Amino acid sequence: ATPVVVINLDRDSDRLAWYSENCLRVGLRFERIAAVDAKDESMLAKIEDLRSPSFRLSYAEAACILSHRKAWQYLLDTEHPHLAILEDDLHLSEDFPLLLRNELIPKNADLIKLEVPSGKVSFAQKPSASFLGSKLHRLITKAYGSGAYIVSRQCASKLLEATKHCSEPVDVILFDPQSSIWGLFEALQLIPAPCIQDVNLCRLTSSEQLFESAIENERNTVKDIRKSENKKKKNSIPLKKLWRYLWCIYQGANPLRHKEYIPLDLGHPDTSV
């Protein structure tokens, strides 16, 4: 089976205990990777180096990238063709471990998003491959969130090269058309998604959030700066929005709903939305 790593902060032992119980319930084995802590003074030099020369990243976002870099390096230190990288606030489907059988993952698949993105996305209507009753579809627009994905050795190597210095969060690097990674690899989305981060599940089901996001507060502050900068770069002519819409249709998105919410299936009737 494809190996699984879970990124978890040393100070978040309660999350790890909750996650371990969930993994035991569905029969998923994993290796823990100690997340880089933005509050760890011994890591500040590495965090500062990653953020330079641009400071559009918060310390927590930079630490998150360093954590994922550890996971990518973990894959390259093995002989496995792929690695499943998970964050520690995921709700998993009952059949999640079955999806990680080596023979199910297409050999030419380099980047597969497993979770429900936080927002609507456009994707090619024609699937790239079947996947244990589900389908893999090529993403056309940004699909934020880095809570669960499968990465190939080739992609992990390029990601390490591309993230020596960063000005964008890890999910933008992974799943945004403006990222250099998208010019090298197709980003695929598993539909329906077999997992979802706790914060997104709460939004969908109006349930109580179990865990506070480790980077959300800091990210919101820096996000405003990035939005302000991006607005200056954008052309405000309405024709540009029409062009983006037509481009999505041309790429194979649904012409009636070119942006859609990715469906979720956790194996329970009350969580399939």
Side-chain angles (χ1 to χ4, degrees), residues 8-12 34-44 47 59-60 62-64 66-67 70 214:
N8 167 258
L9 285 165
D10 288 341
R11 56 186 164 87
D12 280 343
V36 174
D37 195 339
K39 296 181 179 180
D40 183 353
E41 292 186 3
S42 67
M43 295 302 298
L44 288 183
I47 289 173
Y59 281 91
C64 184
L66 289 172
S67 302
K70 289 176 71 172

Side-chain angles (χ1 to χ4, degrees), residues 75-96:
L75 172 58
L76 296 182
D77 290 341
T78 72
E79 296 182 356
H80 293 285
H82 293 90
L83 176 69
I85 300 173
L86 312 178
E87 294 181 352
D88 63 358
D89 60 345
L90 279 177
H91 296 265
L92 303 171
S93 70
E94 300 286 346
D95 61 354
F96 193 90

Side-chain angles (χ1 to χ4, degrees), residues 22-227:
N22 277 312
C23 288
L24 183 63
R25 174 179 57 82
V26 301
L28 180 68
R29 294 182 178 181
F30 67 87
E31 291 288 332
R32 176 182 176 269
I33 285 185
V36 174
D37 195 339
K39 296 181 179 180
D40 183 353
E41 292 186 3
S42 67
M43 295 302 298
L44 288 183
K46 286 187 177 181
I47 289 173
E48 289 284 10
D49 183 58
L50 184 84
R51 294 171 77 225
S52 6
S54 170
F55 294 92
R56 297 169 66 197
L57 280 177
S58 72
Y59 281 91
E61 287 173 327
C64 184
I65 293 172
L66 289 172
S67 302
H68 282 260
R69 281 178 59 86
K70 289 176 71 172
W72 303 331
Q73 187 61 56
Y74 175 97
L75 172 58
L76 296 182
D77 290 341
T78 72
E79 296 182 356
H80 293 285
H82 293 90
L83 176 69
I85 300 173
L86 312 178
E87 294 181 352
D88 63 358
D89 60 345
L90 279 177
H91 296 265
L92 303 171
S93 70
E94 300 286 346
D95 61 354
F96 193 90
L98 298 178
L99 296 168
L100 302 178
R101 285 161 30 196
N102 286 328
E103 67 272 18
L104 286 178
I105 302 174
K107 290 182 180 179
N108 61 344
D110 291 292
L111 184 58
I112 301 174
K113 191 176 184 69
L114 299 173
E115 67 176 320
V116 174
S118 57
K120 290 183 178 181
V121 300
S122 293
F123 55 88
Q125 290 300 294
K126 184 178 179 181
S128 299
S130 295
F131 206 78
L132 193 68
S134 302
K135 303 287 184 184
L136 288 171
H137 293 256
R138 180 173 56 87
L139 284 164
I140 298 172
T141 57
K142 61 187 178 184
Y144 290 158
S146 57
Y149 60 96
I150 294 172
V151 66
S152 72
R153 296 180 63 83
Q154 295 88 340
C155 189
S157 178
K158 291 296 182 182
L159 282 165
L160 284 170
E161 288 179 22
T163 55
K164 291 178 181 177
H165 302 290
C166 300
S167 59
E168 301 289 355
V170 67
D171 55 348
V172 174
I173 294 164
L174 287 165
F175 299 112
D176 191 307
Q178 304 303 317
S179 167
S180 61
I181 295 302
W182 274 48
L184 302 173
F185 307 103
E186 281 192 349
L188 302 173
Q189 171 72 55
L190 186 58
I191 301 177
C195 57
I196 187 170
Q197 286 187 290
D198 184 59
V199 62
N200 291 328
L201 181 63
C202 293
R203 288 169 185 162
L204 281 176
T205 60
S206 300
S207 55
E208 186 177 350
Q209 192 169 329
L210 295 177
F211 301 109
E212 214 176 294
S213 172
I215 67 171
E216 196 68 28
N217 292 335
E218 277 191 47
R219 187 172 191 176
N220 286 336
T221 303
V222 182
K223 194 185 294 182
D224 291 337
I225 298 172
R226 286 196 289 261
K227 278 184 179 179

